Amino acid sequence: MTLKEAVIVEGRYDKIKLRGIIDSPIIETNGFRVFHDSEKLSLIRRIAAARGILIFTDSDGAGLVIRNFLNGAVPKEQVRHCYIPQLEGKEKRKAQASKEGFLGVEGVSDEVIVEAIRKSGATIIGGESRADREISKADLYSLGLTGTENSAKLRKVLLKELDMPPYLSTNAMLTALNCLYSFEELKELMLNLG
């Protein structure tokens, strides 16, 4: 399932779960850290302006707090909400259930997630392909952003130039770049950096 909107989740395991179901950019808030991370919030706002976001947090109190924070930080017309039902249980990787006893995004079935996405009003893209070619890891390598002696330094320069958080991992940077730029635009940016 491919969505127009970028999906915002609480953490790594939510992202891993959704990665097997949807083919769209997935951005982690790192839980409550997003409240104090102005760079991450700025990135989420930019992505929302470019393609919209789908907030997909857990159905517990913490998920609601994060959802409400993001809902107030991004213009309403750029936000869609995806809600999973409050299902009792615990995730397989955890020794005990969460404080409230509900499954999070990572713990519900694929069918529940697909149904929640359909109900959210997110823009589901059929078999159509992007007009612009997406940026791949191989592209990052060919542009000198990975695999070379100076690639870390070059990534930092690029992230600074694009006003993105400097601590983004290569994978997180790739996701953000694909939300905001085509391969051709990135190539042009890299020529201007050099």
Side-chain angles (χ1 to χ4, degrees):
M1 175 182 283
T2 303
L3 306 178
K4 173 186 167 275
E5 296 84 2
V7 180
I8 309 298
V9 297
E10 292 178 54
R12 175 177 30 157
Y13 293 102
D14 298 333
K15 183 176 183 175
I16 291 168
K17 173 71 173 190
L18 290 182
R19 182 58 56 219
I21 301 169
I22 63 171
D23 181 25
S24 299
I26 303 170
I27 310 296
E28 299 170 46
T29 67
N30 298 315
F32 292 137
R33 283 191 215 151
V34 74
F35 298 164
H36 308 290
D37 189 343
S38 59
E39 292 174 329
K40 175 73 70 122
L41 187 57
S42 175
L43 179 62
I44 289 171
R45 286 180 176 137
R46 285 181 60 196
I47 291 170
R51 66 186 297 154
I53 59 171
L54 177 66
I55 300 174
F56 203 150
T57 58
D58 294 347
S59 60
D60 60 5
L64 182 62
V65 170
I66 294 168
R67 178 185 301 276
N68 288 338
F69 173 77
L70 292 172
N71 194 46
V74 177
K76 305 281 184 257
E77 64 275 6
Q78 298 171 358
V79 178
R80 300 248 187 247
H81 293 277
C82 193
Y83 297 95
I84 57 170
Q86 288 188 325
L87 301 171
E88 291 186 3
K90 78 167 191 65
E91 280 81 13
K92 290 178 185 173
R93 70 177 180 88
K94 295 181 179 175
Q96 56 189 5
S98 69
K99 184 176 168 185
E100 296 178 40
F102 300 121
L103 291 173
V105 171
E106 70 173 278
V108 297
S109 70
D110 293 1
E111 294 77 22
V112 168
I113 288 172
V114 168
E115 184 61 23
I117 291 170
R118 291 191 191 286
K119 289 178 179 178
S120 72
T123 309
I124 300 171
I125 300 170
E128 58 194 69
S129 61
R130 275 176 66 137
D132 297 321
R133 180 166 87 66
E134 280 201 354
I135 303 162
S136 69
K137 284 190 174 183
D139 295 328
L140 296 182
Y141 178 78
S142 71
L143 293 170
L145 292 165
T146 61
T148 67
E149 189 176 315
N150 294 319
S151 58
K153 186 187 288 184
L154 188 55
R155 278 195 309 275
K156 283 194 183 285
V157 171
L158 176 65
L159 290 169
K160 182 177 172 72
E161 177 69 23
L162 298 178
D163 198 27
M164 290 186 181
Y167 56 79
L168 289 180
S169 68
T170 303
N171 286 336
M173 181 183 76
L174 182 62
T175 298
L177 288 171
N178 272 314
C179 285
L180 299 168
Y181 302 97
S182 67
F183 171 70
E184 291 74 22
E185 291 168 328
L186 177 62
K187 216 162 101 173
E188 184 70 26
L189 285 165
M190 293 303 295
L191 287 173
N192 293 333
L193 275 184

